[in-house]
Amino acid sequence: MAILVTGGLGFIGSHTVIELLSSGYEVVIADNLSNSEISVLDKLKKLSNKTIAFYEIDVTDKDKLELIFLNHEIDGIIHFAGYKAVGESVVNPLSYYYNNLMSTISLAELASKYDVESFVFSSSATVYGDNVSPFKEDMPLLERTNPYGETKAMSERILSDYSKTEPTKKITLLRYFNPIGAHESGLIGEVPKGIPNNLMPYITQVASGKREKLFIFGNDYDTPDGTGVRDYIHVVDLARGHVAALKKAKQGINIYNLGTGIGVSVLELIHTFIEVNQVDIPYEIVERRPGDIAVSYADTSKAERELGFKTVKTVEDMVRDAWRFEKNLIK
Ligand code: WQD
């Protein structure tokens, strides 16, 4: 069973490749290296001790993409490739819409042409907008505050409409909460380009001395300590969620949250990091970040019931593994 993994050298993609290989799937990666490094491919081969077919292509380039379907018998697609920086999407909306939507459309067209049974799409909890947590898959989605989030909601819509035309295909939309952490080996993890937008990579860069201090975006939210609350999920658990989604995929369109169901505040995450890793994280409270919501965590019952998926890693595991990976980067 060959699975095409787009964006397979990226943060979530690379961890999912490891889980797929260890579950016996054959993997073909398509990645244009726009936000990943080719060195990750060797690390994946080393960690898995398996062969991995790799194509350096842009997933919006349908003609080149088609070569993969001609060269391999593709049974499933997991589509990770995409731009993902919220702030950048506000500055460059057209490139976000073009890239994130064209890739989804090209892949769906090829999935149809080559009769690919399963399609798993990387969606995001951001599609819920400022709903009341826990977020449930059947909630009406509220307005997104940036083009990045909109591309996720639009891709969901495109795939839902496609599903109506090919109802025997198994299409799964996975709504990720906040993936952090790294592989236990310390070999693969998150390597943001430039100044990190997300909390965890910023924390690890402060811990390593790359940045002077962390800025906490607001402590006047209606939460227990005033800082934002999120559902952080270990990237290895998230990767396992993809294997479960492939194995249990059902015909039609099926949507699942992938989170832990537990809300953790910014201050709680920082203090866990300090305690577990015994390093200092200087921080300063600043203004709220525009577009942020106070609380976001998942209702995990559908993924548990239908996919048999439950996270096993703790916040302690997440901060320990994230720090181990960052330390390896600076060695
Ligand atoms: C988490 C919390 C911040 C940085 C975004 C996207 C989402 C998904 C993941 C992409 C919030 C606070 C953060 C910092 C801080 N997409 N924070 N100081 O905003 O929940 O989700 O990234 O790949 O679609 O919206 O994640 O990690 O940016 O923020 O205080 O320097 O940390 O305000 O409460 P977010 P995040």
Side-chain angles (χ1 to χ4, degrees), residues 246-262:
L246 260 189
K247 284 190 175 153
K248 295 278 174 71
K250 293 190 294 192
Q251 290 184 345
I253 190 107
N254 291 283
I255 307 177
Y256 300 100
N257 287 337
L258 292 182
T260 63
I262 300 165

Side-chain angles (χ1 to χ4, degrees), residues 9-80:
L9 299 186
F11 176 44
I12 307 172
S14 58
H15 289 81
T16 302
V17 166
I18 293 296
E19 296 304 313
L20 287 169
L21 291 167
S22 68
S23 304
Y25 291 97
E26 202 184 305
V27 171
V28 180
I29 295 178
D31 195 307
N32 68 356
L33 305 179
S34 67
N35 194 23
S36 58
E37 299 289 335
I38 190 66
S39 58
V40 172
L41 184 61
D42 286 333
K43 290 174 184 164
L44 294 177
K45 288 178 180 163
K46 188 172 157 189
L47 280 171
S48 64
N49 216 5
K50 300 228 164 96
T51 54
I52 303 168
F54 173 69
Y55 291 80
E56 185 181 338
I57 54 169
D58 192 312
V59 184
T60 60
D61 187 339
K62 198 176 138 197
D63 293 337
K64 286 205 184 126
L65 197 57
E66 187 156 13
L67 287 177
I68 296 178
F69 293 83
L70 293 169
N71 291 346
H72 304 266
E73 186 80 33
I74 301 294
D75 307 289
I77 296 171
I78 308 185
H79 178 33
F80 292 104

